[in-house]
Amino acid sequence: MAPIDPHSYADSSHPLTTHISFSFYFDFPSSTIASSTLLSLSAPHSGPLTLDTRSLSLSAVIDPATAAPIPFTLSPSPDAVLGQSLTLTLSNQSKLLILSKTAPSSSALQWLSPPQTFNKSYPFVFTQCQAIHARSIFPCQDTPAARIKFAAKLNIPRYLSAVMAAKHVDRRDPAAGECGGACDDSIWCAEGRVVEEFVMEQPVPPYLFAFAVGELGFREVGPRTKVYSEAVPAVLDAAAREFAGSEEMIKVGEGLFGPYEWERFDLLVLPPSFPYGGMENPRMTFLTPTVIKGDATGAQVVAHELAHSWTGNLITNKNNDHFWLNEGFTTYAERRIVEVVQGKERAILNIGIGWRGLVEQIERFKDRMEFTKLRTNQQGVDPDDVYSEVPYEKGFQFLWRIERQVGRPAFDEFLKKYIANFKFQSIDTDMFLDFLKANIPGIEDQIDLKLWTDGTGIPPDAMEPASEIYTKIVSLANDFKSGKMPNEDDVAQWGGQEWELYLENLPKSVEASQLAALDERYRLAESKDYEVKVAFLQHAIASRCSSYYNEVEKTLKEVGRMKYLRPLYRALVEGAGKEEEKMFARRVFSEACAGYHPIAKGVVEAIFAKHL
């Protein structure tokens, strides 16, 4: 067996799946989905075929042409990272139908009861399949190396609606015989049910498979963009205002990187438990409500997810060892879009915040420097446990270094050529480097490419950004060490990003009284901008400023975004002699975890396992 991905059981000698037809029956009372999954392979195959599964119960595997059963075995005990392998024995077959059911604990799905939603009237469910969670919804070759087109029928209660990272075809009554064996026709066609039909006509990696079902509304914000969320007018209106500039950003992206290949760029604002800032699901980006800040700066997260339409979705890393190809490129592309739309100063602040983040992440991995490389070895490692800003920010720094070497016009030409050459393909670091050397001859003599991709830490030719405002903010943060607080004139023009940069550059240990005085003047602990609030609360925990622990608890209970959970829980439990903080962290988690997505819950449990 020759695996093609350290995070998949898929075998390189087996044909890859090219198309899947799904029928899903959503059962909200049991928090399960009954599925029929019809896989089409790239070629007929005889012998074993291995698929990935996690926490699925399988009832049958059938040859759709003959209705004959196909023999299958599930590996006896699940691997903690990979789940269970499903091995089918094929006989010159290229299509197979699998009947299965998700577990209520499916790692990709979060089922919200009505009290956990905004309106508190109806249930809600949504997916998060990156990095390796599609296998907990349906059996598949759960690797970005396998790009699939698909068609899906979602059978849901009539009082709800569905969206998907795919083209919406129809909302209609269920029809007998279309469920593919997912359940009985009498259940599929029962009163009060409706079918929402979707199709994805471009090949996408399984981690981009996404849907949400709930009481949804939308606002039109551009010719290619609707903003969806739960049907709460205040949320929809705030989101529509925040993301009103989406069409302008799409046009800027097209100017920089070539045609937008996905037709629609719709946005879905999810409940607060969504574990990421955004997820670049094609045609339908998923967003946390924490990016709605009221000043349009949340659009920077949208710029990042939009940039993925070219780098990540169109060209994809072959597996997670090469994750920087998705995220480093996208961070670079996002900042180019921000520079045009919001100005150079804003882009430089963005780079500066990223630089601080990179420095902190290198420190975080000081005992596991493997994960400070761009090209990593993640064999036996859960990608959610080592997720960090390194592939984003070190990847950005690498591309910015190449741009400085060859000049922006030449690098822009290279980028367009790179995207056009590899679109709808999954590639690895060597393929990128070969293409780089072929198209920018002699680049390997000017930049140590191997040091950048395979070296640990931050290379000496990486660069902290420079601008008048950036330098001033860092200087004011350094003044804080000697007890000097910024005055009102200094901060009069500051928004969330300026405060975030200031707080991230403060010394690690600050006197509790100094911190309290800063907050008394500028009310940072109560900021509506979570980037500012969480940066401040990290300092409060480090200074053992327990008067802020109520605010820490409130924050950990009202949002499930891992960008905030990780640093706050880590600050509470890392280090010696913090028994009170550790007990506090345990209690808050025990009370809050029912509202976290399974991925976020697992990440916090991993932090506890290491430090408690």
Side-chain angles (χ1 to χ4, degrees):
M1 178 174 169
I4 49 179
D5 185 327
H7 297 123
S8 174
Y9 290 111
D11 191 310
S12 60
S13 65
H14 297 169
L16 292 175
T17 307
T18 55
H19 188 276
I20 305 181
S21 289
F22 299 103
S23 295
F24 292 127
Y25 181 88
F26 288 73
D27 185 48
F28 278 89
S30 66
S31 299
T32 59
I33 302 170
S35 313
S36 86
T37 304
L38 175 63
L39 288 92
S40 300
L41 305 176
S42 59
H45 184 64
S46 294
L49 179 80
T50 312
L51 303 177
D52 298 301
T53 76
R54 183 188 290 124
S55 310
L56 293 176
S57 52
L58 275 78
S59 53
V61 183
I62 299 159
D63 181 335
T66 63
I70 291 173
F72 70 91
T73 55
L74 265 177
S75 57
S77 54
D79 178 272
V81 176
L82 301 181
Q84 287 175 285
S85 64
L86 168 63
T87 304
L88 316 163
T89 306
L90 301 186
S91 175
N92 198 35
Q93 287 148 313
S94 62
K95 287 187 191 299
L96 46 136
L97 179 69
I98 305 172
L99 305 182
S100 63
K101 193 178 203 176
T102 62
S105 61
S106 162
S107 61
L109 297 168
Q110 184 168 20
W111 299 84
L112 300 175
S113 63
Q116 292 173 295
T117 64
F118 282 113
N119 271 349
K120 317 219 173 292
S121 310
Y122 296 110
F124 196 99
V125 64
F126 66 87
T127 56
Q128 172 55 41
C129 288
Q130 197 178 39
I132 52 169
H133 301 284
R135 66 192 68 184
S136 71
I137 305 176
F138 56 92
C140 58
Q141 292 158 318
D142 194 4
T143 167
R147 300 182 73 104
I148 52 166
K149 299 177 182 181
F150 64 83
K153 297 180 182 79
L154 280 60
N155 184 309
I156 61 173
R158 188 175 287 279
Y159 54 80
L160 300 178
S161 54
V163 292
M164 208 170 185
K167 184 179 190 172
H168 188 251
V169 176
D170 202 5
R171 177 182 169 97
R172 55 170 177 77
D173 291 335
E178 70 176 356
C179 67
C183 58
D184 290 339
D185 269 351
S186 60
I187 295 171
W188 184 266
C189 297
E191 203 175 325
R193 305 292 296 189
V194 71
V195 168
E196 299 258 28
E197 219 173 321
F198 298 88
V199 62
M200 173 47 81
E201 293 162 331
Q202 291 129 314
V204 294
Y207 73 80
L208 291 176
F209 179 85
F211 58 71
V213 178
E215 184 193 19
L216 297 170
F218 68 85
R219 295 281 184 273
E220 201 97 40
V221 295
R224 291 181 269 192
T225 306
K226 288 176 182 169
V227 176
Y228 292 80
S229 80
E230 287 185 68
V232 182
V235 176
L236 284 165
D237 292 342
R241 283 192 300 273
E242 192 80 25
F243 310 129
S246 297
E247 179 61 24
E248 184 191 356
M249 287 199 293
I250 300 170
K251 286 178 173 164
V252 169
E254 288 182 310
L256 289 166
F257 313 119
Y260 181 79
E261 300 269 0
W262 305 95
E263 190 183 0
R264 300 284 307 169
F265 180 63
D266 292 325
L267 307 169
L268 171 67
V269 178
L270 283 155
S273 57
F274 184 59
Y276 290 97
M279 181 63 212
E280 65 272 14
N281 303 310
R283 299 179 66 103
M284 179 68 72
T285 283
F286 283 17
L287 295 166
T288 167
T290 62
V291 300
I292 302 174
K293 300 179 184 183
D295 60 2
T297 58
Q300 291 192 19
V301 172
V302 175
H304 184 88
E305 306 315 330
L306 169 65
H308 268 302
S309 304
W310 291 275
T311 53
N313 298 4
L314 210 52
I315 305 176
T316 308
N317 50 232
K318 196 171 268 187
N319 61 51
N320 229 65
D321 286 345
H322 309 278
F323 189 48
W324 81 272
L325 288 170
N326 277 20
E327 296 300 350
F329 268 92
T330 299
T331 303
Y332 177 87
E334 166 211 340
R335 286 170 183 159
R336 292 293 304 277
I337 293 170
V338 166
E339 186 179 310
V340 176
V341 175
Q342 296 185 347
K344 192 165 187 179
E345 203 62 75
R346 186 63 47 198
I348 287 174
L349 282 181
N350 199 316
I351 295 167
I353 291 166
W355 175 263
R356 287 304 314 157
L358 177 59
V359 170
E360 278 170 24
Q361 296 294 308
I362 301 297
E363 173 65 19
R364 171 188 159 196
F365 288 113
K366 62 176 185 283
D367 300 328
R368 295 195 291 172
M369 289 299 278
E370 172 66 29
F371 303 113
T372 68
K373 297 175 180 177
L374 288 181
R375 184 194 341 230
T376 56
N377 176 4
Q378 295 189 18
Q379 190 73 45
V381 174
D382 186 335
D384 290 333
D385 288 348
V386 294
Y387 177 88
S388 81
E389 288 176 57
V390 172
Y392 295 72
E393 296 300 342
K394 187 173 177 179
F396 163 79
Q397 284 283 341
F398 181 30
L399 299 174
W400 198 30
R401 172 70 187 89
I402 299 168
E403 184 207 293
R404 290 198 303 276
Q405 186 64 45
V406 301
R408 181 168 278 189
F411 192 58
D412 282 356
E413 194 183 321
F414 167 79
L415 270 182
K416 277 189 172 166
K417 204 184 285 186
Y418 166 73
I419 291 164
N421 190 73
F422 289 114
K423 71 179 185 179
F424 296 113
Q425 294 179 53
S426 299
I427 71 167
D428 61 22
T429 300
D430 281 336
M431 290 168 76
F432 164 72
L433 290 174
D434 289 346
F435 190 79
L436 176 70
K437 289 185 278 195
N439 285 276
I440 305 180
I443 191 72
E444 66 272 34
D445 302 323
Q446 299 160 323
I447 298 173
D448 189 338
L449 303 178
K450 191 159 180 56
L451 179 69
W452 271 100
T453 57
D454 299 289
T456 58
I458 302 176
D461 51 346
M463 192 170 94
E464 188 173 3
S467 80
E468 197 178 322
I469 188 161
Y470 177 81
T471 307
K472 186 180 179 186
I473 292 169
V474 173
S475 164
L476 285 168
N478 289 333
D479 288 347
F480 197 75
K481 293 172 192 169
S482 54
K484 188 181 171 208
M485 204 184 297
N487 62 44
E488 271 81 357
D489 289 344
D490 291 327
V491 305
Q493 301 299 313
W494 284 15
Q497 278 198 305
E498 286 83 355
W499 275 113
E500 185 188 352
L501 186 64
Y502 176 78
L503 290 165
E504 288 193 353
N505 279 280
L506 288 184
K508 283 284 168 261
S509 53
V510 175
E511 287 295 323
S513 59
Q514 263 186 296
L515 211 55
L518 181 68
D519 185 49
E520 200 174 324
R521 187 179 289 184
Y522 295 115
R523 315 311 280 169
L524 301 173
E526 298 159 25
S527 174
K528 297 264 188 295
D529 186 329
Y530 278 92
E531 307 290 338
V532 175
K533 179 198 281 255
V534 171
F536 179 82
L537 292 176
Q538 283 174 258
H539 284 294
I541 296 166
S543 302
R544 314 289 281 274
C545 215
S546 55
S547 59
Y548 289 103
Y549 286 10
N550 281 344
E551 197 60 51
V552 172
E553 179 170 348
K554 189 171 153 236
T555 304
L556 290 171
K557 287 181 172 177
E558 68 190 6
V559 294
R561 185 176 175 185
M562 293 189 292
K563 185 178 185 182
Y564 308 141
L565 302 186
R566 260 197 197 93
L568 289 178
Y569 278 115
R570 201 179 277 129
L572 287 167
V573 301
E574 267 180 0
K578 294 170 81 173
E579 291 318 306
E580 193 185 319
E581 282 82 359
K582 289 178 180 181
M583 281 171 61
F584 171 73
R586 272 202 195 96
R587 176 183 66 74
V588 172
F589 180 67
S590 70
E591 294 170 12
C593 67
Y596 293 162
H597 188 282
I599 296 172
K601 194 175 165 193
V603 161
V604 178
E605 285 168 346
I607 291 169
F608 283 5
K610 186 176 177 186
H611 296 288
L612 293 182

